[in-house]
């Protein structure tokens, strides 16, 4: 299902990123065992007042308001949370927090 999440994030970048020319995906391990997956683009970003609202069902265009809602639901099934943490006007950044329950491994 992670492929569906990334596919929907790419669709979101293409549809709403306006001037986006780049997407970067990276990970950041934490000392407590959590892992943060980061999806960021260099597009228009998300206005501060919309950062939580974009995950509500029925919000958005082109996907019937299911795109980011569906992403959060898929991730939530496995205990992964997602938040938009980018700077408006400098790009969108979605951070997915993966808890340390053995559901991931980082290649060496």
């Amino acid at each position: 299902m992670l492929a569906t999440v990334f596919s929907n994030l790419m669709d979101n970048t293409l549809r709403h990123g306006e001037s986006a020319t780049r997407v970067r995906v990276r990970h950041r391990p934490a000392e407590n065992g959590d892992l943060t997956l980061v999806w960021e683009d260099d597009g228009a970003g998300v206005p501060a007042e919309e950062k939580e609202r974009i995950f509500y069902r029925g919000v958005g265009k082109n996907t019937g308001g299911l795109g980011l809602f569906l992403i959060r639901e898929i991730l939530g099934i496995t205990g992964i949370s997602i938040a938009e943490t980018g700077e408006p006007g400098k790009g969108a950044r979605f951070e997915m927090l993966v808890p340390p329950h053995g559901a991931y491994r980082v290649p060496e």
Side-chain angles (χ1 to χ4, degrees):
M1 295 298 292
L2 192 57
T4 300
V5 169
F6 285 143
S7 176
N8 277 318
L9 287 171
M10 179 58 85
D11 184 65
N12 191 69
T13 294
L14 293 172
R15 291 180 189 271
H16 306 293
E18 297 173 11
S19 60
T21 61
R22 176 178 63 103
V23 168
R24 185 166 79 163
V25 179
R26 56 193 169 93
H27 72 280
R28 186 175 60 232
E31 288 188 25
N32 70 353
D34 289 349
L35 177 79
T36 301
L37 292 173
V38 181
W39 173 283
E40 57 190 344
D41 66 43
D42 62 350
V46 178
E49 64 276 5
E50 296 290 316
K51 289 185 180 289
E52 182 58 31
R53 189 174 175 275
I54 60 175
F55 293 103
Y56 294 170
R57 184 179 190 145
V59 173
K61 308 170 203 157
N62 305 310
T63 60
L66 290 177
L68 292 172
F69 170 79
L70 181 61
I71 288 172
R72 184 174 265 178
E73 291 294 306
I74 289 169
L75 293 173
I77 290 169
T78 58
I80 300 171
S81 61
I82 185 169
E84 202 293 324
T85 61
E87 283 187 57
K90 294 187 177 182
R93 180 175 53 243
F94 292 93
E95 295 191 14
M96 295 158 271
L97 182 64
V98 183
H101 55 65
Y104 71 89
R105 50 188 181 128
V106 178
E108 296 179 28

